[in-house]
Amino acid sequence: MSKNPDGKQIKVGILGATGTVGQRFITLLAEHPWFTIHALGASSRSAGKPYVQAVNWKQTMPIPSIVREMIVQECRPQHFVDCAIIFSGLDADAASEIESAFRSSDLAVFSNAKNYRRDPSVPLIVPLVNDSHLSIIPQQQALHDPPLKKGFIVTNANCSTTGYVIPLRALEKAFGPIESCLVTTMQAISGAGYPGVPSLDIIDNIVPYIGGEEEKMEWETLKILGGITDGDDGRKTFDMHARHPLRVSASCNRVPVIDGHTMCVSVRFQRRPPPSPQQVREALVAYTPEAQSIGCPSVPVHAIFVHEEPDRPQPRLDRYYQDGAGVSVGRVRQCPVLDIKFVVLANNVSIGAATSSIINAELAVLKGVVKVE
């Protein structure tokens, strides 16, 4: 197990700690080798109560003993001043104001919410793909009024976007730019939060619409897979894959699966002739993101696990492999319309949510972006 560079335990806080993403943060952080849970934040309804009384616990493991009797605080920066890192599992309707207040208080916020993903100085990071985008944080701090020394916001992506950009990144690294991509999702009900989709809507049914999801997948992909350039005004900007334009068409569906988003993906490469299915399989297996090579403790052994069986991956069989920290790919084959098509499975509550934020924070510590005293 890799060590925190300073050898110290790093105090962290969790906002939205009673929600489903907050609960997942707690299960992942309870025995983390670097991070120790120091403060929990939730709504005023929960504030002042021991966590065990405030939460409607929905995880398969018991509430970790470290947080059972911890008193829940309101999501105000003064209750979290001793924390080097803040993990936000807040709902979007509350995240904007609260996360901004924490950043303004010079706290480092790693957010699962969508609110700041479009901000031109906020990196949108899938930790197995584009950790180099952390380089824009000094600009974010300098543009704040007053400038910040330690505070910033990092966002992770939509849970479906996260799952399929990992193999896309592996393919672009091996074979050059992708010109176009078609992706059809079959998304688990846990992605809708709790209580989520009514049972009469989802049992024995597929709902072919998730509000805002298709648009998010289409533009987030460009920000994540694109680079950072220096503008005429000296500011860094996300180029949105503009040097090699990429067209993405997403169709998003809610299906009666508890955890695990499945995606059918077809891609066309700029390269002619395109790679063969076997070359694609080999590139996916070989893909090694920087988060693995520099020693982040929460990264999976396989960023991408490639199945050879004709009927895998499947949510029930594969969603908890590597504790859901990597993605599974199967059915790699030629596409008669584009070039290559395949199936991706990602655990939406792990790599699609809390796990991504945690690895983002680990990367920030290793790269010196988070200042640990």
Side-chain angles (χ1 to χ4, degrees):
M1 181 67 69
S2 60
K3 294 182 179 180
N4 161 22
D6 295 323
K8 301 176 182 177
Q9 285 292 298
I10 301 170
K11 294 179 179 179
V12 305
I14 302 171
L15 306 179
T18 57
T20 52
V21 175
Q23 291 177 32
R24 186 62 177 162
F25 272 124
I26 286 171
T27 63
L28 293 168
L29 291 167
E31 297 182 0
H32 194 279
W34 301 356
F35 302 146
T36 183
I37 301 172
H38 182 71
L40 303 175
S43 69
S44 57
R45 297 188 304 274
S46 300
K49 299 177 183 178
Y51 185 73
V52 67
Q53 296 179 18
V55 70
N56 182 13
W57 189 255
K58 292 294 179 181
Q59 305 302 304
T60 55
M61 64 176 287
I63 300 175
S65 58
I66 191 174
V67 299
R68 281 185 64 87
E69 301 303 325
M70 189 175 290
I71 300 301
V72 177
Q73 307 291 336
E74 288 194 63
C75 295
R76 297 180 178 177
Q78 60 263 36
H79 302 307
F80 294 78
V81 291
D82 293 330
C83 297
I85 291 169
I86 305 297
F87 293 108
S88 173
L90 292 167
D91 291 336
D93 57 358
S96 291
E97 183 177 347
I98 293 173
E99 291 177 1
S100 177
F102 273 73
R103 175 175 59 181
S104 295
S105 296
D106 227 12
L107 292 166
V109 179
F110 292 84
S111 174
N112 188 69
K114 67 181 180 181
N115 303 58
Y116 288 98
R117 290 175 186 164
R118 288 185 182 267
D119 189 299
S121 290
V122 171
L124 174 62
I125 294 183
V126 174
L128 304 181
V129 175
N130 66 323
D131 57 277
S132 63
H133 287 193
L134 288 169
S135 64
I136 206 166
I137 286 177
Q139 175 173 293
Q140 182 187 149
Q141 293 171 320
L143 292 174
H144 191 274
D145 187 16
L148 300 169
K149 294 182 179 178
K150 297 186 295 182
F152 56 81
I153 295 174
V154 168
T155 61
N156 55 315
N158 173 272
C159 46
S160 290
T161 306
T162 296
Y164 93 118
V165 296
I166 297 171
L168 291 191
R169 171 59 180 147
L171 296 181
E172 290 208 321
K173 183 178 180 181
F175 307 114
I178 293 171
E179 286 187 346
S180 54
C181 175
L182 300 177
V183 54
T184 299
T185 73
M186 292 160 277
Q187 295 180 223
I189 55 176
S190 57
Y194 184 84
V197 184
S199 60
L200 286 177
D201 288 340
I202 197 63
I203 293 175
D204 189 34
N205 201 24
I206 292 173
V207 181
Y209 174 74
I210 305 173
E213 200 83 353
E214 294 170 354
E215 180 197 11
K216 281 187 284 187
M217 288 193 73
E218 290 167 0
W219 77 261
E220 285 183 3
T221 301
L222 304 183
K223 185 171 182 179
I224 294 163
L225 294 180
I228 295 178
T229 59
D230 292 322
D232 294 337
D233 59 358
R235 292 185 182 180
K236 295 180 181 294
T237 59
F238 297 101
D239 69 16
M240 303 300 289
H241 216 277
R243 285 176 286 183
H244 302 284
L246 168 61
R247 297 181 300 167
V248 178
S249 178
S251 299
C252 297
N253 307 274
R254 189 74 72 191
V255 298
V257 170
I258 295 174
D259 289 333
H261 288 355
T262 304
M263 289 153 277
C264 296
V265 184
S266 293
V267 297
R268 175 180 171 84
F269 295 90
Q270 187 179 94
R271 162 178 161 171
R272 300 281 106 192
S276 68
Q278 183 58 30
Q279 288 174 314
V280 166
R281 291 187 198 97
E282 292 170 357
L284 295 174
V285 170
Y287 179 62
T288 304
E290 186 180 14
Q292 287 181 313
S293 60
I294 68 173
C296 293
S298 298
V299 298
V301 174
H302 306 282
I304 304 168
F305 184 83
V306 178
H307 294 268
E308 296 298 334
E309 305 92 330
D311 61 348
R312 301 281 285 275
Q314 297 178 25
R316 192 166 63 186
L317 299 178
D318 302 310
R319 61 192 166 201
Y320 297 122
Y321 177 59
Q322 302 182 112
D323 202 24
V327 299
S328 294
V329 173
R331 302 208 66 212
V332 180
R333 59 212 193 276
Q334 286 186 325
C335 175
V337 176
L338 301 181
D339 291 329
I340 295 289
K341 56 184 177 178
F342 51 89
V343 178
V344 184
L345 173 69
N347 189 315
N348 54 295
V349 296
S350 296
I351 191 60
T355 301
S356 274
S357 285
I358 291 170
I359 303 175
N360 283 344
E362 293 168 357
L363 283 162
V365 170
L366 289 169
K367 290 173 174 284
V369 176
V370 167
K371 304 299 190 293
V372 180
E373 297 177 354

